[in-house]
Amino acid sequence: MNITTSKELFERAQDYIPGGVNSPVRAFKAVGGDPIFFAKAEGAYMYDEDGNSYIDLINSWGPMILGHANKKIEEAIFKAVIGSPSFGAPSRMEVELAELISEMVPSIEKVRMVNSGTEATMSAIRLARGFTKRDKVIKFEGCYHGHGDSFLIAAGSGAATMGTPNSPGVTEGTAKDTLLAPFNDLEKVKELVAANNGQIAAIIIEPVAGNMGCVLPEAGFIEGLRALCDEEDIILIFDEVMTGFRLGKGGAQEVFGVKPDLTTLGKIIGAGMPVGAYGGRKDIMDFVSPQGPVYQAGTLSGNPVAMAAGYAQLSYLNDHPEVYEQIEKTTKKILAGYQKALKKHKLNYTMNQIGSMISLFFTDKKVIDFETAKTCDTKLFGEYFRFNLENGVYLPPAQFESWFISYSIGEEEVKKIIQVFEDFLKQRQG
Ligand SMILES: *Cc1c(COP(=O)(O)O)cnc(C)c1O
């Protein structure tokens, strides 16, 4: 593999950008080696600065669910750019996208646009606190809700990978208002609520965790949280930045049939442009400024180019339910191919999958929370990652991440993905 240009760019980047990257997990710290710099992407493939191509199993961490360089989305973006990239004033697409989101996501009656998932979760928590006049929130170990101060406590994703789940710079005052429970442990949540009677504003959760690898809720867990929140007047927030428009057009809440009070969105909603949103019950959302007292604003929020991209993608997903059927089928084929290959080899593993989210964990434990996710052989994951990279398959560069299968991945790509895995197992044994 020729890596001259990526190598050069990374050297230059390190002089002017902290760690050479604008988001930590991109630095490949968890898997070893230097990051690859990309020049373009199309369909299922990404092309680097060095002339290599890769089947993309991350898809920009989810947003490119239809594959890269989708023509409909690109056309919508071009058209919006020509009309001026920003007004700083209301425009038509904001209304149309808000209507579409309310139609697609079961619990959303009103929605506010922001520019990232982080902004969405920070704003949702402020709103929950303002609405309930309570300070404390419960989050789950290994769940990632962006890099807002309240959430960098036992955080997943890059924070887990970098070994900084509790970041310096978060004040003790902020940290003490975030209470922690293990994922899938309803009893522990009940204990926390009882011990902090009348003080919990919100429980925030990734209904399917994707930031400690893909971890599914056990039967009754999500329903149990809903019932508890109802009893105690606690706001239940589903952070569907990852699962929204991915597990189905209505996200995890549609799949599980449980309605949260507030939902945070990101990733797929912007089709690759920087967009996030939070929405939910009308009475709560009407607490947001200028209708209500909880302040939240954004110079570029509802940006016309970003709204056009999001609208093009979401309306396509809304009109084409077969997308979800196909990406799940593709994911299950990869899962079956991996399982078949693993039968011939002695290797501890667990695979978790739902819809088009999937993770291979190198452990003999069932992975149900952060504790069990951490039992994985991360060194082996690094070897597995680098072997795939050298053979043209681009996986998430850390054990504690989910893969995201796109609509562009077809039979040919599935065959290659499985073949590379078989080769990896063989060379490891040999
Ligand atoms: C990615 C992610 C975020 C953060 O979104 P950004 O756009 O990176 O700020 C928040 N919550 C979840 C569940 C995520 O997967």
Side-chain angles (χ1 to χ4, degrees), residues 80-301:
V81 166
I82 289 164
S84 181
S86 185
F87 307 128
S91 62
R92 173 183 295 272
M93 240 354 146
E94 295 170 89
V95 187
E96 306 215 328
L97 189 53
E99 284 172 353
L100 181 60
I101 290 167
S102 304
E103 184 193 323
M104 291 173 79
V105 185
S107 69
I108 294 187
E109 295 171 346
K110 279 197 176 181
V111 60
R112 169 62 66 82
M113 295 295 168
V114 293
N115 305 288
S116 68
T118 293
E119 246 188 278
T121 54
M122 280 165 44
S123 309
I125 280 290
R126 182 185 307 134
L127 175 56
R129 286 173 166 156
F131 186 80
T132 58
K133 302 187 172 60
R134 299 172 179 175
D135 288 343
K136 293 183 181 169
V137 300
I138 296 177
K139 83 173 274 287
F140 295 88
E141 289 160 10
C143 279
Y144 180 69
H145 304 294
H147 65 87
D149 285 359
S150 300
F151 305 120
L152 287 182
I153 322 281
S157 188
T161 297
M162 301 300 138
T164 50
N166 306 296
S167 175
V170 174
T171 65
E172 260 175 59
T174 301
K176 79 168 175 26
D177 285 332
T178 301
L179 311 177
L180 288 170
F183 198 79
N184 275 323
D185 191 343
L186 188 59
E187 282 317 305
K188 178 69 199 202
V189 181
K190 286 183 179 163
E191 279 169 31
L192 285 174
V193 169
N196 296 271
N197 191 18
Q199 298 175 62
I200 311 285
I203 297 177
I204 185 167
I205 186 163
E206 299 177 66
V208 170
N211 286 295
M212 47 180 144
C214 175
V215 178
L216 277 61
E218 291 179 333
F221 177 56
I222 298 284
E223 292 80 357
L225 292 178
R226 178 67 275 174
L228 180 63
C229 286
D230 286 341
E231 277 161 32
E232 304 285 339
D233 289 322
I234 294 169
I235 308 242
L236 179 61
I237 306 173
F238 280 3
D239 181 354
E240 296 225 44
V241 170
M242 193 179 271
T243 51
F245 313 109
R246 170 153 298 275
L247 295 184
K249 68 189 173 77
Q253 55 195 268
E254 182 183 58
V255 173
F256 298 129
V258 176
K259 279 191 189 176
D261 302 300
L262 292 176
T263 301
T264 55
L265 297 165
K267 300 196 167 111
I268 291 175
I269 198 177
M273 299 295 288
V275 183
Y278 63 106
R281 265 167 51 191
K282 192 166 163 306
D283 60 324
I284 304 177
M285 290 307 291
D286 281 343
F287 237 66
V288 177
S289 189
Q291 190 127 0
V294 174
Y295 194 71
Q296 185 270 311
T299 302
L300 295 176
S301 296

